[in-house]
Amino acid sequence: MSIRSGILLKLSFSVITTIAAQCAVAADQASQPIVLKAAHLFDAVGGKLLDNGVIVIDARKIKSMGNQGPLPQNARVIDLGDATLMPGFIDAHVHLSGESGDDWYKDFFDGIKRFPAEQALYGAHYAKITLEAGVTTVRDVGSSDYIALGLRNAIRDGMIPGPRMLVSNYAIGSTGGHADQDPIPPQTIAVAGTIKGICNGADQCREAVRYQVKYGADVIKFMPSGGVLSLSDPVDNVQLTQEEMNAIVSEAHRWNRKVAAHCHGDTAAKMAIMAGVDSIEHGSFLKESTLAEMKKKHIYLVPTLSALNGSGFKLDKFPPAIAMKAKAAIAQQTIMFQQALKVGTPIAMGTDAAVGRHGRNGFEFELMTNAGMKPEQALIAGTASAAELLGVSDLTGSLVSGKFADIIAVRGNPLRDMTTTARPIFVMKEGQIYVGGM
Ligand SMILES: [Zn+2]
């Protein structure tokens, strides 16, 4: 045995011992069933609020609901009083690896001088406060330096608290487009290639997808249209050819990855839909005919209303080019969202947290209902529908026996007061309690 393989063997033994110790602790905590009780329950199946909510949790899963059988004798009973038990929220659009503050210029400088390991520690904090906000699953649609991937793995392995994560790694897009770096001279910031998601031509775009999959992406994110927080592109132009979009989507599907398309512009969205995309993110300038086409093909809209709405987004703190684009998108967003409601486009909740602050995900429910969505529809958008879009319906997204015990509770009745979703009093993920229940 070489010295190197000896060290590796020792390392693997210590990793195995650590994991075994964690499993023992987890098994110990999980050995006692938990019964959750609250005045109300919203299971995200029927769309109605039920009274006298009771859920039995055994190990990491929901064992039974309501009056499905006698309660286990040795259970720990947690009575949450006048609250509503609900499935943990699912946010279909976050970036847990970073966060914009109130000052774009400071953020920009902080961003380029921070080391990836340093940034990952910020990410761990954002993951924790996202979970504490009641979000038990997220789809992370774009990050640099594999930080979101690292967070996903560390959370999965029980090293840090956070929501279950599906990650895209680098977002894919054209040179000079919304996925590319700002136009800082190449001697200061190196030009990005396919490994970082930047591609031109169908072959390169396939390669960019393959790189993200190679390094562990669960989902592919790409940029058919311009965006707000980039310096040199229009907000709604088309940034990839139809051939490039077809290559990205077909390649991702070949690897069994769903595809999320960042689209403010309508023409770009139409092209992405033609390519067979699974969701359109933002959608600020989408026309009614496009929203109707999405309904027909069961393509989700992830409206991210909180990204630019009342989330500390101060236009005067941005370069004029970005402020102008933000203003144009804000002006159209609510009109588009109301058209989507009218048409019946499938909607999954997403906040774009990172553009707005992390840990205020529930605010999106308030914005969606203020814009005309029915409260029960909004809650389903952030639970069962988002689970369907992410492809995790068999694991989570509704309170059904056999699914993971991803359960939260909010005070009172959220269908009457949607602001309660912003401050859950109880958060459980896979049977483990992170907020309340003491
Ligand atoms: Zn985003």
Side-chain angles (χ1 to χ4, degrees):
M1 185 192 295
S2 69
I3 294 173
R4 190 178 134 75
S5 55
I7 291 170
L8 282 178
L9 196 65
K10 269 188 207 152
L11 275 175
S12 21
F13 266 135
S14 68
V15 170
I16 289 166
T17 321
T18 316
I19 291 172
Q22 280 170 15
C23 289
V25 173
D28 223 39
Q29 282 177 1
S31 61
Q32 187 184 19
I34 296 176
V35 174
L36 295 178
K37 289 184 174 181
H40 317 284
L41 181 140
F42 185 84
D43 61 10
V45 180
K48 283 209 174 83
L49 203 73
L50 309 169
D51 286 334
N52 303 319
V54 179
I55 309 174
V56 181
I57 296 119
D58 201 0
R60 296 152 68 204
K61 304 233 168 126
I62 297 174
K63 191 174 178 218
S64 60
M65 299 285 306
N67 302 322
Q68 284 177 353
L71 299 179
Q73 295 280 316
N74 60 337
R76 175 181 167 204
V77 178
I78 300 172
D79 193 337
L80 295 156
D82 185 29
T84 299
L85 291 164
M86 305 171 51
F89 296 138
I90 300 176
D91 191 327
H93 192 126
V94 300
H95 307 273
L96 288 186
S97 50
E99 185 179 87
S100 312
D102 293 341
D103 186 336
W104 187 91
Y105 296 94
K106 180 180 177 300
D107 285 347
F108 183 82
F109 183 66
D110 283 350
I112 52 172
K113 77 177 168 49
R114 239 177 239 157
F115 291 97
E118 187 182 355
Q119 189 62 43
L121 296 171
Y122 285 70
H125 171 68
Y126 302 139
K128 178 174 182 282
I129 62 175
T130 301
L131 177 62
E132 288 167 355
V135 181
T136 49
T137 305
V138 297
R139 189 176 62 159
D140 191 296
V141 281
S143 64
S144 302
D145 303 312
Y146 307 98
I147 291 173
L149 181 90
L151 292 172
R152 178 197 71 183
N153 295 350
I155 291 167
R156 182 195 60 201
D157 294 346
M159 296 294 147
I160 55 168
R164 181 180 303 105
M165 292 178 74
L166 276 73
V167 305
S168 72
N169 290 334
Y170 286 91
I172 294 170
S174 62
T175 294
H178 188 57
D180 203 355
Q181 299 154 144
D182 284 319
I184 313 300
Q187 70 272 19
T188 310
I189 294 184
V191 170
T194 49
I195 192 167
K196 290 191 171 181
I198 303 308
C199 60
N200 299 284
D203 283 350
Q204 278 195 5
C205 288
R206 284 190 196 283
E207 185 173 294
V209 171
R210 289 171 182 168
Y211 268 125
Q212 307 322 309
V213 172
K214 172 180 177 178
Y215 293 114
D218 306 292
V219 58
I220 295 298
K221 161 84 174 298
F222 80 117
M223 313 290 202
S225 103
V228 173
L229 289 180
S230 41
L231 274 176
S232 60
D233 59 338
V235 66
D236 61 346
N237 73 324
V238 178
Q239 299 194 340
L240 291 159
T241 64
Q242 187 67 57
E243 201 190 7
E244 288 167 332
M245 292 192 207
N246 293 349
I248 291 168
V249 177
S250 63
E251 192 61 29
H253 285 170
R254 204 168 281 141
W255 293 87
N256 297 325
R257 265 54 170 196
K258 291 199 179 193
V259 188
H262 155 108
C263 272
H264 288 281
D266 186 66
T267 308
K270 281 197 169 79
M271 292 167 73
I273 291 166
M274 214 182 306
V277 76
D278 299 286
S279 67
I280 301 278
E281 315 292 305
H282 319 302
S284 310
F285 304 98
L286 261 55
K287 294 192 177 132
E288 202 172 313
S289 57
T290 311
L291 294 162
E293 185 69 7
M294 288 166 69
K295 185 196 174 180
K296 207 168 110 196
K297 297 189 166 162
H298 200 67
I299 296 170
Y300 273 95
L301 170 71
V302 182
T304 66
L305 301 181
S306 37
L308 303 173
N309 249 308
S311 55
F313 199 91
K314 296 193 179 81
L315 290 182
D316 58 337
K317 295 280 188 177
F318 283 81
I322 291 180
M324 214 172 70
K325 294 196 283 180
K327 246 190 221 166
I330 290 168
Q332 281 306 306
Q333 207 176 35
T334 311
I335 299 167
M336 177 283 299
F337 181 70
Q338 287 168 344
Q339 277 174 340
L341 291 178
K342 197 176 96 191
V343 165
T345 312
I347 292 173
M349 187 272 255
T351 56
D352 211 355
V355 176
R357 296 240 177 261
H358 290 286
R360 51 203 310 284
N361 312 65
F363 183 50
E364 184 77 13
F365 294 112
E366 207 182 318
L367 290 174
M368 291 198 290
T369 46
N370 286 349
M373 197 177 207
K374 287 189 187 127
E376 59 274 23
Q377 243 185 318
L379 295 182
I380 287 188
T383 52
S385 294
E388 193 203 18
L389 168 61
L390 270 59
V392 296
S393 290
D394 51 339
L395 303 177
T396 188
S398 58
L399 299 179
V400 172
S401 47
K403 290 197 185 185
F404 278 131
D406 295 345
I407 304 166
I408 66 164
V410 301
R411 258 183 237 290
N413 177 349
L415 299 185
R416 287 215 192 108
D417 179 6
M418 203 42 86
T419 64
T420 61
T421 57
R423 297 174 301 278
I425 57 166
F426 178 84
V427 177
M428 170 184 270
K429 190 188 104 190
E430 287 187 33
Q432 187 133 6
I433 299 167
Y434 292 90
V435 173
M438 295 303 145

